[in-house]
């Protein structure tokens, strides 16, 4: 495209300031809401809390700043670090140096500490030029020990064994001499730090950090200066650690090498793990939980309430509680709990609906009945909206539509969502009534593995075979007792009769098969698992037209001769029409048309593919 004065280059749009209309707009538009929420929460805590609780809240706020900074470094930029406590100590020393010896005003001290932290962060990032992963983590551990040992040495030389004392801080004559005065200051700083990080996330820097973490090689290929951005991540987050350290030292009145320990560094990591690693609000919640657990344990099991083992081992108990909370979060416990509750509610609603509308007597139930199903992904994308379809035993339905129409999502609603996809059915039911069992089952509450065990077998678009296994190993594994639906058997001979091309390749590794042979192997394995419903995503993906045309009769045999139900999501309408009895046409998550697969449909489908659907008259097919 020729560039005009108003047309920015791709580089300009992505490199320059925050993307207009993207995260930046979302940042500004939701700012008043966040400000109100923060003000309400903080004012409520301030009013309700006594002086002691205010002191705890101040420590929590300072720790929350560190947790957020660590979230940015580890969760966004993917750089491991265990030096947070050391950085807090270093920030405290800087504040002592500037406030006590140089006698600078408190606000100026904070600004200079921020700058010092930035510079220190650039130096701390040097090991990251060569190291990554566990080695980088160890280098940050070395930095922690460096800071504490130098601090210990200097305190010993200066005979400041209890640390360097700081005077009361003061802002424009307003002395910060009590928790009730520190509270609003820390609250404002916490809010500003939170907003700054949120803002950064909407800029190119934030996007580059995420790229670095997710695909460092792709980031390099995209021209991102990886080392520079890693340096920026360390520098920015270290700067805020320093500020937090300066606030902490001023609040407690001294800066010492043992005011925070390596255990606190570990706790910061636990905080961000609790906050699901990468979420700023999560980091704050993590800081609140981790800071609240010790006082709670102390209240219930402390020396005043218990004796013997528990009160003697409070620290160990704290650590065990943290570890257990961490494991639960890492195993995705909270999300699983919410999902289980949702599933239960959905199952109850479906049961009520079924009671209200009993099946017609004598009606032959469909093998599969998808009723008003909607699918949403974790990030909020609504991929499928109120879709219904039915499939009789021994018939095939092809779901077609352009990219992003919702085909795969509908298939996942039938077979179950792969772990980590973040997809879920938000409403509707998927009722499965296999010939082998007269009782209908709502599949929505079952996992992908449980559905497979009931005869619903999925052939994904990619990763459908194991490269290291031979064709024979694949088939023997699928035919093995205990695989697939119990009580039905298919023999190797039957399988090779449907897929003769595989007979001559039994000893070949799946990794050495052609695209068409891999597709056939995946189908063969699905049938060998005694599938009663085979669900195939993109059967023609990567296949040549010749192979595609040879696949259609095979798919037909699967559904007709072997009386399996078949659902395929297809980009190629010719294969869809050749292999299926019915075609479901999807767009933007909805079913546009559903009809028998015949040649007349082809014209209509091609119009949809070319984006001319709106201009076409409605065809004589059933509508949803
Ligand atoms: N894991 C996911 N997380 C978030 N959104 C997703 C995810 N998978 C799909 N989507 C969204 O759901 C919508 C439908 O995607 P889906 O993959 O179902 O479409 P499709 O018709 O199969 O497309 P294609 O033919 O390109 O595979 C898209 O807008 C997509 O962005």
């Amino acid at each position: 495209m020729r560039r005009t004065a108003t047309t920015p280059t791709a580089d300009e749009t992505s490199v320059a300031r925050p993307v207009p209309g993207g995260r930046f707009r979302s940042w500004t538009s939701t700012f008043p809401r966040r400000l109100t929420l923060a003000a309400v929460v903080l004012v409520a805590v301030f009013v309700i809390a006594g002086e002691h609780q205010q002191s705890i809240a101040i420590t929590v706020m300072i720790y929350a700043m560190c947790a957020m900074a660590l979230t940015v470094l580890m969760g966004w930029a993917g750089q491991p670090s265990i030096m947070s406590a050391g950085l807090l100590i270093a920030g405290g020393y800087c504040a002592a140096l500037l406030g006590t010896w140089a006698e600078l005003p408190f606000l100026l001290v904070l600004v200079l500490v921020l700058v010092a932290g930035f510079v220190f962060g650039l130096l701390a990032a040097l090991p990251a030029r060569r190291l990554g992963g566990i080695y980088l983590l160890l280098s940050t551990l070395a930095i922690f020990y460096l800071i504490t040992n130098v601090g210990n040495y200097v305190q010993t030389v200066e005979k400041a064994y209890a640390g360097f004392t700081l005077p009361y801080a003061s802002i424009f004559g307003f002395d910060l001499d009590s928790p009730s005065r520190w509270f609003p200051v820390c609250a404002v700083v916490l809010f500003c730090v939170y907003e700054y990080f949120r803002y950064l996330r909407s800029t190119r820097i934030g996007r580059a950090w995420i790229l670095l973490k997710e695909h460092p090689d792709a980031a390099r290929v995209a021209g991102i200066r990886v080392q520079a951005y890693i340096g920026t991540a360390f520098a920015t987050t270290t700067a805020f650690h320093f500020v937090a350290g300066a606030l902490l030292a001023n609040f407690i009145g001294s800066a010492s090498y043992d005011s925070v320990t390596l255990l606190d560094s570990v706790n910061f990591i636990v905080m961000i793990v609790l906050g699901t690693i990468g979420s700023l609000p999560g980091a704050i919640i993590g800081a609140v939980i981790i800071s609240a657990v010790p006082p709670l344990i102390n209240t219930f099991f402390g020396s005043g309430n218990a004796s013997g083992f528990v009160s003697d081992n409070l620290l160990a108990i704290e650590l065990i509680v943290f570890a257990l909370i961490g494991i639960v979060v890492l195993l995705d416990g909270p999300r699983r709990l919410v999902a289980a509750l949702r599933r239960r509610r959905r199952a109850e609603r479906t049961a009520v609906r079924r009671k209200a509308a009993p099946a017609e007597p004598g009606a032959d139930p469909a093998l599969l009945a998808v009723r008003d199903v909607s699918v949403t992904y974790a990030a909020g994308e609504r991929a499928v909206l109120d879709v219904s379809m039915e499939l009789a035993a021994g018939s095939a339905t092809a779901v077609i539509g352009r990219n992003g129409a919702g085909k795969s999502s509908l298939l996942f609603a039938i077979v179950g969502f792969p772990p980590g996809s973040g997809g879920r059915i938000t409403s509707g039911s998927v009722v499965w009534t296999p010939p082998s069992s007269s009782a209908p089952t709502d599949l929505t509450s079952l996992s992908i593995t449980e559905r497979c065990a009931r005869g619903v077998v999925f052939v994904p678009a990619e990763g459908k075979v194991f490269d290291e296994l031979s064709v024979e190993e694949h088939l023997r594994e699928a035919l093995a007792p205990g695989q697939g639906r119990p009580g039905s058997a298919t023999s190797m001979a039957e399988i090779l009769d449907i897929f003769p091309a595989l007979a001559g390749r039994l000893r070949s590794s799946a990794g050495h098969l052609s695209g068409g042979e891999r597709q056939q192997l995946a189908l063969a394995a699905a049938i060998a698992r005694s599938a009663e419903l085979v669900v195939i995503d993109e059967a023609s993906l990567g296949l040549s037209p010749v192979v595609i045309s040879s696949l259609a009769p095979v798919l037909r045999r699967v559904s007709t001769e072997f009386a399996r139900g078949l659902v395929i999501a297809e980009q190629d309408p010719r294969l869809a029409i050749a292999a299926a009895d019915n075609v479901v046409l999807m767009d933007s998550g909805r079913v546009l048309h559903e009809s028998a697969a015949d040649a007349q449909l082809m014209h209509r489908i091609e119009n949809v593919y070319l984006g001319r659907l709106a201009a076409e008259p409605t065809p004589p097919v059933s509508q949803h």
Side-chain angles (χ1 to χ4, degrees), residues 402 587 604-616:
R402 46 189 151 199
D587 199 40
R604 179 80 196 158
I605 291 168
E606 282 178 340
N607 280 337
V608 172
Y609 271 79
L610 292 171
R612 297 200 300 261
L613 183 74
E616 287 282 305

Side-chain angles (χ1 to χ4, degrees), residues 375-384 399-412 417 420-423 461 537-538 569-571 586 588-589:
V375 168
T376 304
Y377 285 96
E381 291 88 351
R382 300 181 68 202
V384 173
V399 182
I400 61 171
R402 46 189 151 199
N403 293 120
K407 306 182 293 294
S408 305
S409 304
L410 176 60
L411 260 51
F412 288 144
F417 289 87
S421 68
D537 198 6
E538 304 285 3
E570 236 333 290
Q571 286 276 358
M586 286 188 77
S588 305

Side-chain angles (χ1 to χ4, degrees), residues 7 24 35 91 193 198 202 236 262 299 349 375 384 399 429 441 446 498 520 527 546 611 620:
T7 313
F24 180 63
L35 182 62
V193 174
R198 266 194 73 119
S202 73
T236 311
L262 188 59
T299 306
R349 277 205 300 263
V375 168
V384 173
V399 182
S429 60
T441 315
L446 302 182
I498 317 173
Q520 295 203 22
I527 292 169
V546 176

